[in-house]
Amino acid sequence: ADYETITTRKQGAVTLVTINRPDALNALNTTVLADLIEAFRDFDGDEGQRCAVLTGAGDKAFAAGADIKEMADKPAADFYAEDFFAGWTEHFTRATRKPWIAAVNGFALGGGCEVAMMADFIIASDRAKFGQPEIKLGVLPGMGGSQRLARAVGKAKAMDLCLTGRMMDAAEAESSGLVARVVEHDRLMDEAMSAAEAIARMAPLAAIANKEAVDAAFETTLDQGIRFERRLFQAIAATSDKAEGMKAFIEKRDPQWTGR
Ligand code: HXC
């Protein structure tokens, strides 16, 4: 498909999606949202694609936030009428069942940080900077930032970041649990693509089930979550790929997944 504000490339079983508005530090406007929704729908629906990577074009930014120029004169009633920002959470979390990684190459601020947190995990360049600076604009996060940040890094740092609007560098983001890995800037895309390729080599249904199970930890009690995990395990045990995976281990060979 042809997109106005993003580029996509399918490399083997990995879809690479790049937000491509480098002159605006990849600020997220309505067109970016529409383009990303279509790209992720295409990825999720394509049986040949197993994992996606989302990054930002250029050396400076993953995304420096929702597009301030688009929001500046927008009447409050329009935000409400359009349920502004609802599409992001719906599409990048619930509607995308397959795993995807955010490769954060620079600023991930406001909506940029929020979209990165919607990923299944974040791999960051050592030049990455994270923050929720909305307070400086007289507002607050609007795509789940206050909730996902608090769950990821705890109350102390979430409050610190939201109330002061300060940025956190990659090292602080890693030590506080926001990002899974930090790598040298020039190695970011190699690292993210190999992580995605590793996931893409797993049994596809098991990948979806693992993602669903971990996500449940943020939605439910420990007891309910453990029960949910056990039921998923029992369901996945019925797949041919479970039989193949265990047989291949015993026969000391690589498994041949069918995705069923
Ligand atoms: C629109 C943006 C933008 C944004 C940067 N630009 N961020 N345009 N929306 N969020 C544009 C600038 O206007 C500028 O365009 C160009 O990108 C380069 O940015 P500079 O500011 O010149 O770069 P620099 O001096 O290096 O500073 C980088 C920066 C700064 C620290 C990241 O751009 C910045 O603070 N950006 C805003 C970050 C932010 O507040 N994000 C949260 C947005 S609110 P021109 O045309 O001048 O060259 C949000 C959710 C809101 O995400 C929820 C509300 C309900």
Side-chain angles (χ1 to χ4, degrees), residues 8-33:
T8 63
R9 184 156 57 88
K10 292 182 184 180
Q11 192 173 307
V14 174
T15 302
L16 172 64
V17 181
T18 307
I19 305 167
N20 190 25
R21 298 185 71 210
D23 293 344
L25 300 186
N26 301 321
L28 307 166
N29 62 19
T30 315
T31 314
V32 178
L33 173 61

Side-chain angles (χ1 to χ4, degrees), residues 82-97:
E82 295 165 18
D83 204 3
F84 204 70
F85 293 140
W88 294 94
T89 295
E90 285 304 312
H91 284 277
F92 304 121
T93 56
R94 282 180 190 73
T96 302
R97 298 176 73 210

